[in-house]
Amino acid sequence: MEFRMGELFSGPGGLALGAKLAEFTDDTGEKWDFKHSWANDFDQDTVETYKLNLLHNPDAKTVFCEDVSKFPIGDKSILPDIDALAFGFPCNDYSSVGKQKGLGGVYGPLYSYGVKVLKYYQPKVFIAENVGGLSSANEGYALVKILEEFQSSGYHITPNLYKFEEYGVPQARHRIIIVGIRNDLYEEGIHFHVPEPTTPDPKDMKTSQQAIEEPKIPVDAPNNEMPRTTKKVAERLSYIPEGENAWYLGIPEELRLNVRGAKLSSIYKRLDHTKPAYTVTGSGGGGTHMYHWKENRALTNRERARLQTFPDDFKFIGSKESVRKQIGMAVPPEGAKVVMEAVLKTFAGIEYPWVKPTEKLQLDNLLGVKKYEPIELEL
């Protein structure tokens, strides 16, 4: 069975690649998969990356570079009907790394365009992704509002905090993913369950060294240019042991940073080769580029892409900084695959190991929290 999929805020294609990897054939010989229908993102380089790698067609007309507020949602001559909607709505205003403006920020309300698609198209299922900080934005009010709007659009929702390092991703990346099954299908017995972690034990988790070195990155791999490292930065790094950052006490006074900052931050933080990486990010200035556990340098973009589980032949389009941003903002394809595969198995009636969803994220447990007034959209 084929699920025609639409995407908002598609990024370079992490969710789409995860959906592609999730396909399987059941015991009867029937194939279950997602098929690209249309996608949208605001960034031109990101759109070009998506078209090249997911569609293998730089001229594809089904991926739109457009402000979501101007995207022709509902015009089925341009955006035809879909069976599934995937959207990693922008996390800038919910991230614990940022200022957590939540619904009051520029990006916070953008989830509402996903709601607009749900109301117009009523797909069988949706998959929405955001940072773990969403649960605390606006003192928890933001999550309540978002879940209520998803539910009122006609869906039974299952929010869960996925710790991707527990699913084979070599990175401590914690994300809220909300899966919604259309109410009529839920009543017919289509019940999504959170897939059980595959590597819950720390000793079984894939490490940053394994991700980057096993196998070696091919010499012709794209986006693998060595970063420029100044003599002073290289010298500073030489005093920082793996797993430590710029506030390590062994750094000589003349090489310490003359700034106030959180001593648990990732500024000039080296990877620990025995553990999954810390979270790959897509923004930030000097000292935030992720640093090799042994060599006195930042990681290459290809090394970051490996931590995000993109294959070596996945070519990102744009400048080094554009590529860095695309990689950091993406959903790890191997993490997305776990969720997408569970969605397909749910519809196929195939049982799989599952766990209860994160209790504190369930709407019934959040309804005591004050609600925001709905954001009105012109439909």
Side-chain angles (χ1 to χ4, degrees), residues 284-352:
T288 62
H289 291 208
M290 303 194 78
Y291 294 84
H292 198 276
W293 61 89
K294 184 178 180 180
E295 299 175 23
N296 297 325
R297 63 171 178 84
L299 299 185
T300 69
N301 277 325
R302 178 51 50 192
E303 289 169 335
R304 293 189 191 93
R306 278 207 170 182
L307 297 177
Q308 280 279 61
T309 69
F310 282 95
D312 288 341
D313 61 356
F314 195 102
K315 182 179 180 181
F316 294 87
I317 303 299
S319 67
K320 281 186 180 180
E321 279 306 304
S322 174
V323 170
R324 180 191 169 210
K325 180 180 178 182
Q326 291 175 57
I327 293 169
M329 298 294 281
V331 180
E334 291 293 342
K337 175 190 174 184
V338 171
V339 180
M340 295 297 198
E341 187 175 67
V343 167
L344 290 176
K345 287 183 176 179
T346 296
F347 280 89
I350 298 173
E351 292 190 8
Y352 55 87

Side-chain angles (χ1 to χ4, degrees), residues 112-284:
S112 56
Y113 290 95
V115 174
K116 186 175 180 179
V117 173
L118 295 179
K119 290 180 177 179
Y120 262 123
Y121 291 85
Q122 286 286 289
K124 296 173 183 177
V125 61
F126 75 82
I127 303 95
E129 181 264 357
N130 206 276
V131 292
L134 174 60
S135 63
S136 56
N138 300 117
E139 298 178 338
Y141 304 160
L143 180 60
V144 171
K145 173 178 170 45
I146 290 169
L147 295 181
E148 284 193 321
E149 292 208 33
F150 287 159
Q151 185 171 276
S152 66
S153 298
Y155 291 82
H156 182 277
I157 54 176
T158 305
N160 186 65
L161 180 67
Y162 290 81
K163 297 181 178 180
F164 281 130
E165 68 271 29
E166 296 182 351
Y167 291 90
V169 175
Q171 178 192 168
R173 193 177 190 90
H174 302 169
R175 294 293 185 264
I176 292 174
I177 296 180
I178 305 158
V179 174
I181 303 292
R182 203 173 65 205
N183 283 340
D184 61 311
L185 298 172
Y186 182 82
E187 291 167 3
E188 292 174 6
I190 307 296
H191 296 178
F192 175 81
H193 296 294
V194 174
E196 181 180 75
T198 55
T199 54
D201 191 325
K203 73 178 189 316
D204 297 325
M205 292 177 182
K206 191 170 184 178
T207 69
S208 56
Q209 182 178 24
Q210 287 174 323
I212 290 173
E213 293 188 347
E214 300 176 11
K216 287 185 64 175
I217 295 173
V219 293
D220 60 346
N223 312 117
N224 197 38
E225 302 87 356
M226 278 292 166
R228 294 178 180 176
T229 305
T230 66
K231 182 179 178 181
K232 187 172 184 180
V233 167
E235 191 175 0
R236 180 184 295 124
L237 287 169
S238 71
Y239 289 97
I240 301 176
E242 59 181 286
E244 296 289 347
N245 62 13
W247 282 269
Y248 179 65
L249 293 178
I251 300 174
E253 186 70 34
E254 66 273 14
L255 293 173
R256 293 184 184 180
L257 296 181
N258 188 25
V259 295
R260 294 181 180 180
K263 295 190 177 182
L264 295 178
S265 78
S266 58
I267 296 177
Y268 290 111
K269 185 174 181 178
R270 282 192 184 275
L271 297 175
D272 181 333
H273 82 284
T274 68
K275 299 177 181 177
Y278 54 92
T279 306
V280 179
T281 59
S283 60

